[in-house]
Structures are given as C-alpha cells and as structure tokens.
Amino acid sequence: DQQVKQNSPSLSVQEGRISILNCDYTNSMFDYFLWYKKYPAEGPTFLISISSIKDKNEDGRFTVFLNKSAKHLSLHIVPSQPGDSAVYFCAVKRPGNKLVFGAGTILRVKS
Amino acid sequence: NAGVTQTPKFQVLKTGQSMTLQCAQDMNHEYMSWYRQDPGMGLRLIHYSVGAGITDQGEVPNGYNVSRSTTEDFPLRLLSAAPSQTSVYFCASGTGGVGEKLFFGSGTQLSVL
C-alpha cells in the first residue's frame, strides 16, 4: 500500500532550465508535506515543506506546489544548477507524526 | 557541530549474527527514528522514539529492536541478521515529538551474506 508515489524514477534537465519533480499521495488526511534531497553517501537533508492550508511555498530557487483536490505535490527548481543533481524524496506526515517517504526521483542537471 | 552521528559506516554480517547500529545526536532532540532505504522503496520507518524511555514500531519493525535510555542515543539492534536486512540504514532526529523536519545521519551500509 504505497501512500506516497513518485512515478518518475529519474529526470534529466539542462542547466538553467526548470526542473519539475512530482509526487502523488493517497490520503486526504495528510496535513504536512516535505521534500528532502540526498547526495550519494550522505543522509537526506531537508529542502522545503508546505502545510495543507497553503497551496504554494517558496524558498529561493525552490517552490513547492500543493494541489489538494488532485492529491498532488510538485517541486520546481528554477534555474536548475549542476549542484542540484541528487535524489529527491517527497514525504508526508501521517497522524502520529510519522513521516512516509516516496521512492525518490534521481535528478540530473546537465551543464 | 556533529548533528546526527551513525556508526559504523559499513558492515558485513553473516546470516544469524547479531549487531547494534549506533546513533547519537547532540541537538537535544526528543524525537529519534530509524529508516532503511532499499532501491525503489524509498525510506521506510523501522522504529521511532518520542523521548527517553519511549519507543514504538514503524512500518517495518520485524527483526529489529530499539531502546532509548538517554535523549542522545538510539541504538538499533539486529538480533539474528537475515539477507533481507541488507540495506542502507539511516538514523534521524527532530524537534519535540512532531518530527516534520528531520535531521539525518550519513547512513550505515549493511550487507548480510
């Protein structure tokens, strides 16, 4: 029972262009959504989050959009840089404050 | 600023052996947790703790034990290792019992032969 799905295992983008990473979830009761970034041989690091009462949150080059009716979350990176190449995980907070993660999307930014 | 420290970084075990993965944090976080990462599966929660003396099961707890005797430490024990436990293990900590923003260690790569 996959509660969080990242349907694109990988994404390749040219430097300077927009990267869009997508995430779908199944339960409308989730109230908090997060994105983590992971480099090889390192632990995931927190990137950006959004509460269910909002539909957009920005932090520099990173913007997260939440479409509650579609149960869809997306992360936009503009402009993309080679240093953004990493695995991106979306996560949702379940009742009881447990985080459930998607399978991850590998982003490659080509220079 | 150490953050979350995991040891060892790599470990190879034989089936049936036991071992303990260590995790320590110096941020005075109440919430600590263990995840395993497998290809195509994302990060799955094994066990978590909302404070010293309190632990609970996550999504995939079978084969693992935890204890939380201090705020700083949250070891994960494999009592009898199985090949299905070959994975990368991450320890994470967060503020209060909420855990929205987790700080992760660098991981332990475990192979069970």
Side-chain angles (χ1 to χ4, degrees):
Chain A
D1 168 10
Q2 270 194 297
Q3 301 178 60
V4 183
K5 289 184 181 179
Q6 293 179 254
N7 291 319
S8 297
S10 64
L11 174 67
S12 187
V13 172
Q14 198 67 34
E15 181 180 6
R17 305 295 291 270
I18 184 171
S19 295
I20 300 176
L21 297 101
N22 295 303
C23 179
D24 297 300
Y25 59 95
T26 56
N27 192 330
S28 58
M29 297 300 290
F30 295 146
D31 58 2
Y32 207 78
F33 306 86
L34 306 91
W35 285 95
Y36 281 79
K37 180 169 73 172
K38 184 185 179 304
Y39 292 118
E42 295 183 12
T45 54
F46 171 78
L47 188 58
I48 192 169
S49 62
I50 187 167
S51 163
S52 61
I53 62 173
K54 295 186 176 181
D55 54 18
K56 177 182 173 181
N57 188 26
E58 276 184 271
D59 184 0
R61 297 185 297 113
F62 303 91
T63 302
V64 56
F65 294 92
L66 178 61
N67 183 333
K68 290 184 286 293
S69 61
K71 299 192 187 70
H72 181 79
L73 186 70
S74 64
L75 174 69
H76 293 208
I77 306 173
V78 183
S80 301
Q81 299 174 354
D84 296 329
S85 297
V87 180
Y88 289 79
F89 293 98
C90 71
V92 300
K93 185 165 75 73
R94 284 183 56 190
N97 296 321
K98 288 180 268 192
L99 284 184
V100 177
F101 286 83
T105 297
I106 300 169
L107 174 65
R108 296 187 185 91
V109 180
K110 299 176 290 187
S111 57
Chain B
N1 51 347
V4 180
T5 302
Q6 287 183 239
T7 56
K9 290 192 181 301
F10 302 95
Q11 183 70 49
V12 178
L13 292 177
K14 294 181 179 178
T15 297
Q17 286 185 315
S18 63
M19 80 157 296
T20 299
L21 307 185
Q22 301 291 345
C23 176
Q25 52 93 6
D26 61 0
M27 296 172 281
N28 203 32
H29 286 161
E30 291 294 327
Y31 182 90
M32 296 186 74
S33 55
W34 277 101
Y35 286 83
R36 59 178 287 175
Q37 184 193 5
D38 301 292
M41 304 286 286
L43 295 154
R44 292 184 292 169
L45 181 63
I46 304 171
H47 284 285
Y48 66 100
S49 168
V50 297
I54 305 169
T55 64
D56 205 348
Q57 297 181 347
E59 304 168 71
V60 288
N62 293 339
Y64 307 95
N65 277 357
V66 292
S67 60
R68 185 92 179 272
S69 56
T70 67
T71 299
E72 295 77 21
D73 300 297
F74 191 44
L76 178 72
R77 297 183 187 86
L78 284 71
L79 300 177
S80 179
S84 61
Q85 294 178 305
T86 294
S87 187
V88 182
Y89 291 84
F90 291 100
C91 178
S93 71
T95 55
V98 176
E100 292 104 339
K101 183 176 177 178
L102 294 180
F103 296 83
F104 283 83
S106 58
T108 295
Q109 188 166 325
L110 176 67
S111 295
V112 183
L113 307 178

